[in-house]
Amino acid sequence: MQQIYRTGILQISGKEEARRIKVVNVVCFASGILVAIYGVAFYLLLHSLLILVPAVFFFCPAFFGMIFLNARRRYNASRIGMHVLYILIILYYGSILGRVTEVQLLAVFMMSVALLIWRPQEKAQRIICASMPIICLIVLEFIYYFDLVEPLPLSQTTQNIYRWMVMPVVLYLNYLAISLYQDNIMDLLRALRSRNTSLSGSRREIERQRRELEKYNKELEQIVRERTFALVKANTAKTQFIGELSHEIRTPLNTLAGLSELLSDELSRLNTATGAEARQMARNMNALSRNIMEIVNSVLELSKIEAGATEELRPEPFSLKEWLRHTVGIYQSIASKESIFIHLEIDSRFPEMVLCDKMALGQVVNNLLSASLKSTPSGKNVRVRCFHKQTTMFLQVCDEGKGITDGQIDAILEPFQQGDREMYRQFGGSGLGLAIAKRKAEAMGGNLQVSSMPGEGSNFLITLPLLVSEEVKEIPAAPAELPGLPADSRILVMDDNDIDHTIMKHFLARLGITQVWFAHDGAEGVEMARKLKPDVVLMDLHMPVMNGHDTFLYLRKDPELQHIPVVAVSSDAFREQELEFIRLGMDGYLRKPVEPQVLHGVLEKLLRFDTRHPRTAVNGQKVEQPDPAL
């Protein structure tokens, strides 16, 4: 029996599908046996072959054939065949035996079996198989009503015996259906119990993992806090170190640049050959000090870029054509000493006025021109081209230098990379200019592309968004001589370096200011300010006794001195440091080494136009007004 019930199940992995196959096997086996037994019994009762032959020779083998179909893995055919066989039994025996058959009970059995052997997802099969017995009952009622089939003659006694014999069969079949439903429910309960046990175990495991995850999260948060604190501390220490190092380097460089310029001016009075040679040496010393200063500035600029503290872009309208002519003119005077020719080519269709950050663009172009001039030998050319295409403008710098190999192009755009060692020994440089140019171009929304042919030269292409401006603004030409300032101006310089006193005195004398006093610290400077009532105070920020910050606050609190404009003169080169003092209320900020042109511009605004804190600039650049609360 077990062998028959499990026919076709071994090939099935799913429990639900195996259970449905087992239901078909059980129902078909029981139905085949019952059909054969009752076919013989009714034949002995009625002596009619119309009952015996179909039961024994058709319906019984057919039911066992459904089991055979399951063995051949024809599961759907077996299910449908079982329903068809029951429909034929209901129609055939219901027609020849009449109403005494009680086929309604078989129809109920068939409807319940349909729900057992089809999955809930197989709605169409369920509906068809469940509705087939109902259709059969309607057909039988139609046959009975119109007497389409003449039933076998049965006496009252025979009808009673038949009914008593059929009743156990129907009850057994319905019991079988209920039993199968019960087995199904028990399987479901066992599956639910197993799943619940599994879920309980999973919940416990999930809870355990959640606790471990919380523990790991806390540990990770602690590690992140510690690492973040260490990084912030290291970055702060790095910034402080670079700032202090910059100040320490700029202080002697300022002295070197100032003394070399002072020495050059003094030697210019000598007309002898020795004086001319010494004057050239002084100029070379001044150029060397400014070259070192440029390297220091590049290190600071790169440090700010890598720290993500780049300055906000300040686009302004200007004539790019005139600006390029002015810039190339400056570099042409430098290149002419090496017999290098710079050719400027500007597309005639290029817009007259553009909107761009002139300072950032200047850093890009200056670095590219400087790099090209270093690698271009005497007698060769450097070409600068300016053109545009739709909303994009292009600046191209081409030289006829040694060129760069493909493997070195990516390297030279990284900090402190100069290409190969031979190029570095020949041309020198810090390897910062191109890296800064590339990052500045990207900050302006563009890009820097480099191509080169070894032995023929290099090509640098700047790509930037083209913003056309309708505003008319010309670039004033730089005057050959700085105009003098009011001769009666009174300047107080607070600085602890005697050499800086000499340099500043020389610069102010060139600007026409002779009434200059010097203090070596903040406390001495405050006392001198009370006595002298100067027009402007030029103050170093790093002084003994009282530093520049405290001295400035003291001057601002004194009703007699708070109106005097104060300009910081310091080697601190970080933009944040400069803006901190400007927002504090200082009237200007000059970086060392001081440029005479910048010093003249700041003092001219303070002395000629307004002496009531006009907040002139940081190295000539306009800044926002400070908070009055400060």
Side-chain angles (χ1 to χ4, degrees):
M1 293 295 293
Q2 290 295 327
Q3 184 70 24
I4 293 174
Y5 290 163
R6 298 178 63 84
T7 300
I9 295 177
L10 298 178
Q11 296 90 341
I12 299 298
S13 58
K15 291 184 178 180
E16 288 297 319
E17 185 67 18
R19 181 189 58 77
R20 284 186 282 271
I21 296 172
K22 183 179 179 181
V23 169
V24 174
N25 291 338
V26 170
V27 172
C28 288
F29 180 77
S31 300
I33 297 295
L34 289 173
V35 166
I37 292 173
Y38 276 81
V40 173
F42 289 152
Y43 171 75
L44 295 176
L45 180 63
L46 301 176
H47 301 286
S48 175
L49 292 176
L50 294 175
I51 295 177
L52 177 64
V53 173
V56 176
F57 296 103
F58 177 73
F59 289 111
C60 179
F63 276 116
F64 285 109
M66 300 303 104
I67 300 175
F68 177 75
L69 288 177
N70 278 338
R72 299 299 300 271
R73 305 181 68 176
R74 305 291 297 275
Y75 305 122
N76 288 336
S78 176
R79 295 167 188 170
I80 296 172
M82 183 183 67
H83 277 82
V84 172
L85 288 175
Y86 265 100
I87 295 303
L88 293 176
I89 288 175
I90 293 172
L91 289 175
Y92 179 74
Y93 286 107
S95 299
I96 66 173
L97 295 176
R99 297 180 185 277
V100 72
T101 54
E102 301 291 344
V103 293
Q104 297 88 345
L105 299 176
L106 284 177
V108 174
F109 168 73
M110 287 305 300
M111 293 173 65
S112 62
V113 169
L115 300 177
L116 279 173
I117 64 176
W118 297 104
R119 295 178 298 175
Q121 295 85 353
E122 299 170 327
K123 294 182 180 180
Q125 294 90 327
R126 276 191 165 195
I127 293 173
I128 293 173
C129 291
S131 61
M132 286 171 63
I134 300 175
I135 297 173
C136 287
L137 294 179
I138 295 173
V139 173
L140 281 176
E141 288 297 324
F142 186 79
I143 293 173
Y144 294 155
Y145 184 79
F146 291 101
D147 295 328
L148 298 178
V149 177
E150 184 178 356
L152 295 174
L154 299 175
S155 63
Q156 187 65 36
T157 302
T158 303
Q159 291 181 13
N160 291 334
I161 294 174
Y162 179 83
R163 187 180 293 109
W164 294 339
M165 293 179 66
V166 169
M167 192 66 67
V169 175
V170 174
L171 291 176
Y172 171 73
L173 291 175
N174 283 281
Y175 167 76
L176 182 61
I178 294 173
S179 176
L180 292 173
Y181 267 104
Q182 185 180 6
D183 291 343
N184 185 29
I185 293 172
M186 292 304 297
D187 288 342
L188 289 175
L189 289 175
R190 283 192 292 270
L192 288 174
R193 190 179 298 112
S194 175
R195 188 169 298 177
N196 184 55
T197 303
S198 177
L199 288 175
S200 299
S202 298
R203 282 196 297 269
R204 289 192 294 271
E205 178 65 19
I206 291 173
E207 182 64 23
R208 184 187 66 81
Q209 292 179 357
R210 186 185 64 80
R211 289 194 297 268
E212 291 183 358
L213 185 60
E214 289 180 353
K215 178 182 176 182
Y216 292 150
N217 283 339
K218 292 180 180 178
E219 294 177 356
L220 184 60
E221 289 176 359
Q222 181 63 26
I223 293 174
V224 169
R225 283 195 296 268
E226 292 176 356
R227 296 288 174 83
T228 303
F229 177 76
L231 288 174
V232 171
K233 184 178 179 181
N235 188 57
T236 304
K238 170 192 169 184
T239 303
Q240 183 179 0
F241 170 75
I242 292 178
E244 293 176 354
L245 182 62
S246 169
H247 179 270
E248 294 302 321
I249 294 176
R250 281 173 175 273
T251 300
L253 280 178
N254 173 55
T255 302
L256 179 61
L259 288 178
S260 59
E261 187 167 347
L262 179 61
L263 182 60
S264 177
D265 290 344
E266 292 295 329
L267 292 174
S268 63
R269 302 173 184 175
L270 301 177
N271 296 324
T272 61
T274 303
E277 183 179 355
R279 185 167 60 254
Q280 184 60 41
M281 293 173 62
R283 289 175 179 173
N284 293 339
M285 187 187 305
N286 184 265
L288 179 61
S289 63
R290 296 190 181 280
N291 186 28
I292 298 174
M293 185 63 66
E294 181 181 348
I295 296 175
V296 174
N297 291 336
S298 297
V299 172
L300 290 174
E301 183 69 29
L302 186 66
S303 176
K304 290 191 292 184
I305 292 175
E306 292 181 343
T310 55
E311 298 177 7
E312 181 182 356
L313 294 177
R314 301 177 182 274
E316 58 178 298
F318 67 99
S319 174
L320 183 63
K321 297 179 181 180
E322 294 299 324
W323 181 84
L324 276 175
R325 294 187 184 101
H326 179 73
T327 302
V328 170
I330 294 175
Y331 276 91
Q332 181 60 69
S333 63
I334 299 174
S336 60
K337 298 178 182 179
E338 302 294 334
S339 300
I340 299 174
F341 303 97
I342 303 179
H343 304 275
L344 177 61
E345 302 173 9
I346 302 178
D347 189 350
S348 59
R349 297 169 297 177
F350 196 86
E352 186 63 33
M353 301 295 293
V354 299
L355 192 65
C356 186
D357 189 320
K358 192 178 355 180
M359 178 171 292
L361 182 62
Q363 289 180 288
V364 177
V365 174
N366 290 338
N367 281 322
L368 294 184
L369 282 173
S370 177
S372 293
L373 290 178
K374 286 180 180 178
S375 61
T376 302
S378 298
K380 296 294 184 177
N381 301 294
V382 174
R383 300 185 182 277
V384 180
R385 297 180 60 214
C386 175
F387 57 96
H388 76 288
K389 184 178 181 181
Q390 296 178 350
T391 59
T392 304
M393 71 174 178
F394 302 90
L395 292 174
Q396 189 176 28
V397 179
C398 305
D399 62 54
E400 298 178 355
K402 179 181 178 182
I404 309 167
T405 62
D406 292 339
Q408 295 171 347
I409 289 179
D410 292 335
I412 63 171
L413 296 177
E414 296 298 323
F416 304 104
Q417 298 292 329
Q418 300 94 354
D420 57 15
R421 293 185 178 180
E422 182 181 352
M423 183 180 295
Y424 172 67
R425 285 195 299 266
Q426 183 176 357
F427 303 113
S430 63
L432 294 173
L434 293 179
I436 293 175
K438 180 176 184 296
R439 301 190 188 192
K440 282 290 183 180
E442 291 173 350
M444 291 189 289
N447 194 14
L448 171 62
Q449 300 176 6
V450 182
S451 60
S452 182
M453 185 69 68
E456 297 184 10
S458 302
N459 177 22
F460 303 93
L461 180 63
I462 309 166
T463 306
L464 294 173
L466 175 61
L467 300 177
V468 181
S469 174
E470 301 298 333
E471 182 177 345
V472 178
K473 184 178 180 180
E474 299 293 338
I475 298 179
E481 292 291 338
L482 296 176
L485 297 174
D488 59 346
S489 300
R490 302 159 62 86
I491 305 296
L492 174 61
V493 178
M494 300 183 188
D495 198 315
D496 59 328
N497 192 314
D498 290 332
I499 300 179
D500 287 346
H501 291 178
T502 304
I503 297 172
M504 187 59 69
K505 182 178 180 180
H506 172 72
F507 283 172
L508 292 173
R510 289 175 56 184
L511 301 179
I513 299 176
T514 57
Q515 300 185 62
V516 183
W517 291 268
F518 298 94
H520 290 82
D521 57 66
E524 181 184 357
V526 171
E527 293 299 324
M528 294 180 67
R530 284 201 184 98
K531 296 178 182 178
L532 301 172
K533 300 297 187 299
D535 296 315
V536 176
V537 172
L538 301 178
M539 181 172 61
D540 186 23
L541 299 178
H542 298 273
M543 297 183 294
V545 183
M546 185 185 297
N547 60 29
H549 180 274
D550 296 339
T551 303
F552 174 74
L553 294 180
Y554 195 92
L555 291 173
R556 284 292 180 261
K557 291 178 182 178
D558 193 325
E560 298 181 1
L561 305 177
Q562 62 184 3
H563 67 284
I564 301 175
V566 179
V567 178
V569 183
S570 176
S571 298
D572 294 333
F574 277 117
R575 177 74 172 176
E576 293 77 11
Q577 295 170 315
E578 299 171 359
L579 292 179
E580 176 186 355
F581 284 96
I582 291 298
R583 293 191 181 102
L584 190 64
M586 282 195 175
D587 301 272
Y589 194 106
L590 297 174
R591 302 177 192 172
K592 293 181 179 181
V594 177
E595 296 286 346
Q597 295 85 353
V598 177
L599 175 63
H600 176 273
V602 172
L603 291 180
E604 185 177 36
K605 292 179 181 180
L606 293 174
L607 296 174
R608 289 189 185 277
F609 303 111
D610 191 355
T611 60
R612 297 173 300 168
H613 318 300
R615 318 295 179 212
T616 52
V618 176
N619 268 16
Q621 304 172 38
K622 186 177 179 181
V623 298
E624 62 273 18
Q625 291 292 331
D627 187 347
L630 294 175

